Amino acid sequence: GAGGGSGGKKKTKQLSEATIQNLRLMFQNLNEALSSILYMNTTVPCLVRLLHVCKDYVRHEEPSIRKQAMATGFFLLEKFVEYKTVDIRSCIEDKFDRIGQTLALVVPRITDSTKSVRVAGLQCTQQILFIDYFLRHGPDTLPPEDEAGEDEQVYQVDMPEQLEILSEMVARVESANLPTQFGAANEIASTICDILPEEDLTELLLALLSSLSDSDAPASSGTCIVINAIIKLRGDILLPQVTELIVGMLKAMEVVTHEKTINGTLHSIRTLAKHHPASVIDQLLSMPLPFSKHVVATLQTLAKDEEMLRDILLDHIFETLNNSQTVVDSGQDKTPSRESLACTCAIAHVVEVLPEGVLLGDRFPQFVGTLLLRFGTTAGMKTDKSRTDLLVSLRAYLEQTGEKTTLALMEEEKKALRSSKVKEYPRAVARLVNSLCMAHEHEIHRIYNFLLPYLRGNFIGQRVVVVSAYAEIVNCTREEELLQNIINALLTSINDDVLKLSAIIGLGNIASAGSDLVNQFAPPVIDALMASIDDKDEAIAIEAMHGLNGVFQIVEAPRVQPILINIIQRIRPHIEKPNAKIRTCAFELLGTLGRFGNGVAAATFIDQMHGLLPSVIIHLEDPDRGVQGACKLTMRALCPLLAAEDVNKIIDRKWFEPNIKLPYDRFAEEFAIAFANSYPEKASAYISSSIEYFQSKWPQLRCAAATLGGFLLGNLPNEARHTISIGIVTTAYITLLSGQKEASVRKAAAAAMKLLYEY
């Protein structure tokens, strides 16, 4: 039988003269036998069956066998004409049935590597078309019956002009020049397109697909030329055959190794796509995942077509991923749609062949926006395949565009980017947005516009991504109108529980816009952040305080001073929360509020500050180092407002540097001395606040409270000691001393009680 692939002309063992003679004799005998059968049954079905007896020999890898087989085929076709024209008036057949399949047997031989086979291929093609012609036209092509002689039995049917042209191509087919042969094959295909009806032409085209893997390399390449010519000229009729053609050509490429044939087949698919782009693209994307190398090559071929296919392909991918149903929801399990998986994978392949002008130019917002939105539509899936494919495609895009910084961020955030949790992946996506916006500042507005429709889209995941992206764009632009639009979008998004966290982050980011814009947007931003400090979701409360902290470092004092007491009261509950992050944010925000402790609000603020300063001092020994650092900064921000020089000297020491361990006992003693001398009237309240911490769940804070209270009691001037309810204080310390299992707490309580000997 015929060989399976054509990696060039396959070397075969030279046949001996004796073997060739035997072949000739065998085919001579075969000719006699087959012609006898044909004489007994001169019908097209019989002819087709006899021709297909030679099928494997026609495509045989040995040229001598192909030569003999084609000679037999032509012999049978001539005999059919001879037998049929003896009495054509009695012919009941009106066409060459299965002509497409029969032509597909001989047409590839027109570019065979052997000259005699090429000529036979042309002759057979012409003869098959001629038989179809006289069967279709039959007696109509003959002289009237009354003009024919009574003893005339053989009728002469002339070759029509359309087919006579093929006779003129013999010299071109005989040429050893491949381009000349291929040019002839192209013209022959054009003639076939003019002659064959629609149904026969599609049959021929589908039957030719098997010859793409012909054992003879020039024949397989010539087949490509014929297929492409037919598709180019008559592709408009092939819509119903798109699936069969695409699958057939892809299957053929799996066994073809000859590069010209591969390229020719890809060219044919591209030609078909120009007639039916949507159907071809749909069929390619419906192929099994992961895509085979030939599907990838085909998609890349379409992507390289600048005239129309590139835009149609990209639009199809973006439309599918952004606006179609990308999730199949079956009860509790969500799985990605087959189409969305295919389009996500396709991006990774097409970006490899797209020029920079497409990737970073006109299509930049679509690529970036689509890949970002895909994080939202792949969240919460039953498996992580869709997210894995997305990361592959995103990485491919970033590599192709040279985004090294963003690629490094992807590596840093790989765990979060794989997560479906709404408190994890949006933050990582936001970092990617920041990196891309900083690298392409001129594209920020276009990214904003591309994402805008999805802010109110049907898919919650898309809305999450849009709000996260907008939140980060606030950090990247100073354009007033754009910021106004984003702030409005974020303020609206706060009402959605799923979007609220990202919206709060974005509102807080306004601090990066500079003082003028911060003051311009301050009223609605501050109101929204203030309202979220008490949110039951601690992550939102943390971001609200973090955002306020940034805004308050810049905003003008008159915008904050009227609400100062309200802010402090809202902060107060958070300084004792179990979550260390929320305690840290609360103390940091309290320290920033020191900016507003002057002027008209000075008296009010200092009064509030005295109520919270004992907590700040005690939390200098917080079990969390982050809280300790925040309290150091807060001490340096608030204590100058006390206008106590000795206190200021203490907090100016290196003890209050972030990485320096604070010797708490020594500090507490020195602070107590300085404070008791400067504010003896406030000492009682500080001591009471310290005693409240005796109930703290953290032993470190109980120790710190006992120490601070003890030093304040011991260093309080005599004239101020009458303000102390010593019985209550003593009872509290005795209870602390006797009721604690931690030795450190008992030790601190005992040390403090030693200072009460003068009471």
Side-chain angles (χ1 to χ4, degrees):
S6 53
K9 189 172 180 179
K10 188 171 182 179
K11 293 183 179 180
T12 57
K13 185 178 179 180
Q14 189 70 30
L15 297 181
S16 66
E17 186 62 32
T19 302
I20 293 175
Q21 282 296 109
N22 289 334
L23 279 173
R24 287 173 182 165
L25 181 60
M26 182 192 78
F27 275 100
Q28 183 179 341
N29 294 332
L30 181 63
N31 291 351
E32 293 178 3
L34 295 180
S35 63
S36 298
I37 296 172
L38 188 61
Y39 180 78
M40 299 297 294
N41 183 8
T42 312
T43 62
V44 172
C46 180
L47 173 63
V48 170
R49 285 196 298 271
L50 296 178
L51 288 172
H52 277 77
V53 168
C54 303
K55 180 177 180 180
D56 288 344
Y57 300 111
V58 166
R59 296 182 61 183
H60 200 281
E61 61 185 15
E62 171 52 50
S64 298
I65 295 178
R66 295 202 300 274
K67 177 181 176 181
Q68 294 296 332
M70 287 300 294
T72 293
F74 186 56
F75 171 78
L76 288 173
L77 290 167
E78 285 190 312
K79 284 296 180 183
F80 182 86
V81 172
E82 178 186 329
Y83 299 154
K84 206 68 172 175
T85 53
V86 169
D87 189 10
I88 195 170
R89 294 187 190 279
S90 63
C91 178
I92 61 172
E93 294 176 297
D94 59 0
K95 67 174 183 175
F96 194 125
D97 197 35
R98 293 177 65 193
I99 188 173
Q101 293 184 31
T102 307
L103 280 171
L105 190 64
V106 299
V107 167
R109 306 272 61 90
I110 293 173
T111 57
D112 195 278
S113 57
T114 302
K115 181 170 71 172
S116 58
V117 176
R118 295 198 295 274
V119 174
L122 175 61
Q123 292 172 333
C124 288
T125 299
Q126 184 185 44
Q127 199 73 345
I128 291 169
L129 292 171
F130 174 62
I131 292 171
D132 184 62
Y133 169 78
F134 79 66
L135 288 177
R136 287 181 183 276
H137 297 84
D140 294 339
T141 64
L142 304 176
E145 243 183 285
D146 56 1
E147 295 180 14
E150 293 182 4
D151 58 346
E152 187 177 2
Q153 295 186 3
V154 179
Y155 298 95
Q156 179 66 38
V157 181
D158 294 329
M159 184 78 69
E161 186 177 343
Q162 280 179 304
L163 296 179
E164 197 64 52
I165 295 174
L166 298 182
S167 300
E168 301 171 4
M169 295 188 184
V170 173
R172 295 169 63 185
V173 170
E174 287 181 328
S175 171
N177 182 267
L178 275 177
T180 301
Q181 296 174 27
F182 291 158
N186 188 68
E187 291 187 30
I188 293 167
S190 177
T191 300
I192 292 173
C193 285
D194 291 339
I195 294 174
L196 285 191
E198 181 177 314
E199 65 274 11
D200 292 330
L201 196 61
T202 55
E203 179 187 89
L204 166 62
L205 193 58
L206 293 169
L208 280 171
L209 296 180
S210 62
S211 292
L212 290 171
S213 57
D214 197 281
S215 61
D216 187 64
S220 68
S221 295
T223 301
C224 283
I225 290 170
V226 173
I227 289 174
N228 188 66
I230 294 173
I231 293 174
K232 183 177 180 180
L233 294 171
R234 300 293 296 277
D236 57 309
I237 68 171
L238 297 174
L239 180 59
Q241 284 76 37
V242 165
T243 296
E244 199 170 354
L245 285 169
I246 295 297
V247 172
M249 285 189 271
L250 290 172
K251 185 177 180 180
M253 284 193 284
E254 291 177 4
V255 294
V256 174
T257 57
H258 185 52
E259 187 176 352
K260 285 185 178 179
T261 304
I262 294 287
N263 291 337
T265 307
L266 292 172
H267 186 72
S268 297
I269 296 177
R270 184 180 68 181
T271 303
L272 181 61
K274 289 190 174 183
H275 287 283
H276 308 289
S279 297
V280 170
I281 291 170
D282 279 338
Q283 182 56 47
L284 288 171
L285 293 174
S286 71
M287 299 305 291
L289 294 171
F291 291 136
S292 71
K293 65 179 181 180
H294 301 298
V295 174
V296 170
T298 307
L299 288 170
Q300 291 178 336
T301 298
L302 302 187
K304 287 187 282 190
D305 183 85
E306 298 180 15
E307 294 180 6
M308 60 176 281
L309 296 180
R310 172 189 294 164
D311 288 335
I312 294 174
L313 174 61
L314 293 179
D315 288 342
H316 181 94
I317 290 172
F318 296 145
E319 177 68 19
T320 299
L321 291 178
N322 296 327
N323 300 318
S324 71
Q325 185 66 42
T326 60
V327 178
V328 179
D329 194 346
S330 55
Q332 294 182 344
D333 294 332
K334 292 183 178 181
T335 56
S337 68
R338 171 65 180 68
E339 295 81 1
S340 67
L341 286 174
C343 287
T344 303
C345 293
I347 290 179
H349 302 305
V350 300
V351 297
E352 294 178 1
V353 298
L354 292 177
E356 189 175 282
V358 174
L359 296 173
L360 293 176
D362 296 340
R363 295 282 188 168
F364 178 77
Q366 288 176 300
F367 272 110
V368 170
T370 299
L371 289 167
L372 293 175
L373 289 171
R374 189 70 179 131
F375 279 99
T377 54
T378 55
M381 295 296 105
K382 183 179 180 181
T383 67
D384 62 355
K385 174 172 172 48
S386 56
R387 184 63 65 85
T388 300
D389 291 343
L390 166 60
L391 293 173
V392 169
S393 291
L394 177 58
R395 184 173 289 106
Y397 175 78
L398 296 176
E399 288 174 349
Q400 199 67 21
T401 54
E403 303 289 348
K404 294 182 180 179
T405 302
T406 312
L407 278 167
L409 272 178
M410 272 193 72
E411 186 61 26
E412 288 180 26
E413 296 286 354
K414 60 183 178 182
K415 182 179 179 181
L417 290 173
R418 288 185 176 277
S419 172
S420 290
K421 295 181 180 178
V422 77
K423 291 183 180 179
E424 293 182 8
Y425 81 86
R427 292 177 183 267
V429 169
R431 290 195 70 193
L432 298 181
V433 171
N434 180 279
S435 177
L436 290 167
C437 286
M438 288 301 187
H440 304 276
E441 292 185 24
H442 60 289
E443 296 285 3
I444 291 177
H445 210 286
R446 290 210 298 156
I447 293 174
Y448 163 82
N449 285 332
F450 179 82
L451 294 175
L452 185 59
Y454 304 101
L455 181 63
R456 297 177 180 83
N458 294 326
F459 307 116
I460 184 62
Q462 289 181 331
R463 300 201 296 273
V464 169
V465 169
V466 174
V467 173
S468 299
Y470 281 3
E472 199 56 43
I473 290 176
V474 173
N475 277 327
C476 305
T477 184
R478 300 293 179 271
E479 188 180 332
E480 182 179 339
E481 183 180 355
L482 179 58
L483 280 173
Q484 180 67 72
N485 291 337
I486 291 178
I487 293 299
N488 291 341
L490 296 177
L491 288 171
T492 302
S493 300
I494 286 178
N495 298 320
D496 188 322
D497 289 342
V498 179
L499 307 178
K500 188 172 184 178
L501 177 60
S502 295
I504 290 295
I505 293 173
L507 293 173
N509 287 343
I510 193 64
S512 64
S515 59
D516 290 344
L517 291 171
V518 169
N519 283 296
Q520 179 178 335
F521 299 122
V525 169
I526 291 175
D527 288 346
L529 294 176
M530 283 279 293
S532 301
I533 288 180
D534 304 323
D535 198 280
K536 61 183 179 180
D537 186 334
E538 288 190 343
I540 292 175
I542 288 171
E543 293 300 339
M545 287 190 287
H546 180 73
L548 283 172
N549 189 40
V551 172
F552 287 165
Q553 290 177 25
I554 300 172
V555 74
E556 295 171 349
R559 297 187 181 276
V560 179
Q561 286 171 336
I563 57 174
L564 203 53
I565 295 177
N566 185 18
I567 298 171
I568 293 173
Q569 294 304 317
R570 288 182 174 230
I571 293 173
R572 188 184 295 272
H574 294 303
I575 63 178
E576 304 303 331
K577 290 285 180 70
N579 188 332
K581 290 183 178 179
I582 204 167
R583 298 201 303 276
T584 299
C585 286
F587 282 119
E588 287 175 345
L589 180 55
L590 179 61
T592 300
L593 292 177
R595 285 189 65 224
F596 312 108
N598 297 304
V600 295
T604 301
F605 182 79
I606 290 174
D607 186 56
Q608 292 294 320
M609 186 185 75
H610 279 303
L612 286 171
L613 196 56
S615 295
V616 178
I617 296 170
I618 291 169
H619 277 276
L620 287 168
E621 287 289 275
D622 193 278
D624 184 83
R625 293 188 63 181
V627 179
Q628 293 176 15
C631 289
K632 285 184 178 182
L633 294 175
T634 301
M635 288 290 290
R636 282 192 162 177
L638 298 183
C639 287
L641 299 175
L642 295 175
E645 185 177 346
D646 291 341
V647 173
N648 290 339
K649 287 180 180 179
I650 296 170
I651 63 170
D652 284 340
R653 292 183 182 178
K654 287 187 177 182
W655 294 345
F656 284 85
E657 296 295 328
N659 296 320
I660 303 296
K661 172 64 178 174
L662 177 71
Y664 186 80
D665 287 3
R666 184 176 173 188
F667 155 74
E669 182 177 11
E670 293 188 14
F671 175 84
I673 293 170
F675 185 81
N677 288 329
S678 299
Y679 289 94
E681 73 282 4
K682 298 289 186 182
S684 177
Y686 276 56
I687 293 168
S688 296
S689 295
S690 298
I691 290 174
E692 289 177 8
Y693 275 91
F694 289 2
Q695 307 302 317
S696 172
K697 66 177 182 178
W698 291 297
Q700 298 94 324
L701 299 190
R702 298 200 295 272
C703 288
T707 301
L708 176 63
F711 282 126
L712 284 171
L713 286 164
N715 291 285
L716 193 63
N718 290 331
E719 59 273 16
R721 290 183 177 180
H722 68 279
T723 61
I724 304 299
S725 299
I726 194 63
I728 295 175
V729 170
T730 303
T731 301
Y733 270 99
I734 291 172
T735 302
L736 184 65
L737 179 64
S738 60
Q740 299 295 315
K741 62 180 180 179
E742 294 89 352
S744 58
V745 178
R746 296 196 300 272
K747 181 179 178 181
M753 292 183 70
K754 290 195 302 182
L755 301 174
L756 302 180
Y757 65 91
E758 291 185 353
Y759 281 83

